[in-house]
Amino acid sequence: MDVLGVVARMNTVSEDFLVYWVNSHVLDPLLSTQTAPEAIPLWRRSLVTWFLVYFGSIFIYYFFGWIDYYFIFLRNEKRKNPRFRVNNNILWKEIWMSTWSLFVMSAFTTPMEVLVQLGYSKVYHRVEDYGWFYLIISPFLFVFFSDTLIYFIHLGLHHRLVYKHLHKPHHSFIDTTPFAAFAFHPIDGFLQGVPYQLYVFCLPIHASLHLVSLTVVGVWTINIHDRVTLHIPGVNGAGHHRVHHKTFKSNYGQYTVFWDKVFGTFKDPMEWMHQGAWEDREEDVYGKKYL
């Protein structure tokens, strides 16, 4: 997932300072060893990377999740309905599933991040390596690349032969809160995060720019689950994603509605509201034998 990449790229921007620091200040004292930065064994580098990615992503998830929850989600829901009450059972289920999934997804992500540390990616540090023009267009390339791949991955996860086994846990949350942002089956979440990892092996991107891009994406992922849409033309906002959770068969895009419109899976949230905000049942969409 995007939030995992944020922490990993913080390490890249620091030129692996975080990995070296955890190794020398945490693992070395625990194991009574003294390891030079250039001589960190692969198993130890992998363990440290997992540690950083997991606990860093947990911090980001809880920090931005609670901010969105209290200052945007609750305020918006109480404005619409002063008697609104959160279903605490669902809320804690979202939090638990996200916490557990990030634990496992961090392990899945670690090998690719170790390859980045070892210099096998196209992440670069000097603007002059590719110039200012490429730096400026990089965020657009990143969004198009990841939005395209995630659309088709997400669409595939809704195939009736796959949905029950991987994507159904996330769709158990119909009326989502910001804490549902990472409440996935770990394999589901990892698959939707692959484009962010794959990008750095396919196209060059400045380390700091990638960090900023992933941070924005992480916050965006939380936002599209808080039911507060910004109504930006062409952008797949919280309103679109709520329709997705209600109908199962529309609005598969991550940031834009481009591919949904191309392949006929787009459903306008305002039109949906005017039609009565209807909901589809899982068994009607997939068939009981596939659930």
Side-chain angles (χ1 to χ4, degrees), residues 16-229:
D16 295 341
F17 169 80
L18 296 179
V19 166
Y20 298 149
W21 190 92
V22 172
N23 179 69
S24 61
H25 289 78
V26 179
L27 279 188
D28 273 344
L30 284 175
L31 301 176
S32 299
T33 58
Q34 188 171 1
T35 310
E38 65 275 7
I40 299 178
L42 185 60
W43 70 267
R44 182 180 289 205
R45 181 182 289 275
S46 299
L47 180 61
V48 171
T49 300
W50 171 84
F51 178 91
L52 284 171
V53 169
Y54 177 59
F55 286 101
S57 63
I58 284 293
F59 172 79
I60 294 171
Y61 167 68
Y62 280 96
F63 180 76
F64 287 107
W66 283 112
I67 289 176
D68 192 306
Y69 180 77
Y70 278 111
F71 295 104
I72 299 178
F73 173 79
L74 283 182
R75 182 177 297 181
N76 180 67
E77 293 302 314
K78 288 183 179 296
R79 178 181 56 80
K80 293 188 297 185
N81 177 13
R83 296 184 178 182
F84 172 77
R85 292 291 183 273
V86 175
N87 185 323
N88 287 322
N89 290 331
I90 297 297
L91 178 68
W92 289 112
K93 184 181 178 182
E94 290 177 339
I95 292 173
W96 162 248
M97 186 179 293
S98 292
T99 303
W100 161 246
S101 294
L102 286 170
F103 179 89
V104 179
M105 287 189 288
S106 296
F108 290 161
T109 300
T110 294
M112 283 191 172
E113 290 306 329
V114 169
L115 289 176
V116 172
Q117 293 171 26
L118 297 177
Y120 291 101
S121 75
K122 295 182 181 293
V123 174
Y124 65 96
H125 294 270
R126 301 188 312 162
V127 174
E128 53 267 30
D129 286 348
Y130 291 91
W132 282 100
F133 177 74
Y134 185 77
L135 184 76
I136 293 170
I137 67 171
S138 289
F140 300 98
L141 295 175
F142 173 77
V143 167
F144 181 76
F145 181 93
S146 53
D147 195 47
T148 299
L149 268 63
I150 291 173
Y151 174 85
F152 292 106
I153 292 171
H154 194 182
L155 185 65
L157 287 165
H158 275 271
H159 190 281
R160 62 178 57 192
L161 296 178
V162 178
Y163 176 80
K164 172 185 176 181
H165 305 288
L166 294 181
H167 202 49
K168 182 179 171 68
H170 183 64
H171 271 273
S172 65
F173 309 109
I174 304 299
D175 293 305
T176 60
T177 78
F179 291 108
F182 306 105
F184 290 89
H185 185 292
I187 296 178
D188 176 5
F190 172 71
L191 288 174
Q192 295 197 59
V194 164
Y196 305 121
Q197 299 174 332
L198 191 61
Y199 185 88
V200 301
F201 295 97
C202 296
L203 292 170
I205 187 166
H206 191 278
S208 297
L209 180 62
H210 197 217
L211 171 61
V212 171
S213 299
L214 289 171
T215 301
V216 172
V217 170
V219 174
W220 181 257
T221 303
I222 293 172
N223 168 258
I224 63 174
H225 290 89
D226 68 8
R227 311 184 209 173
V228 182
T229 193

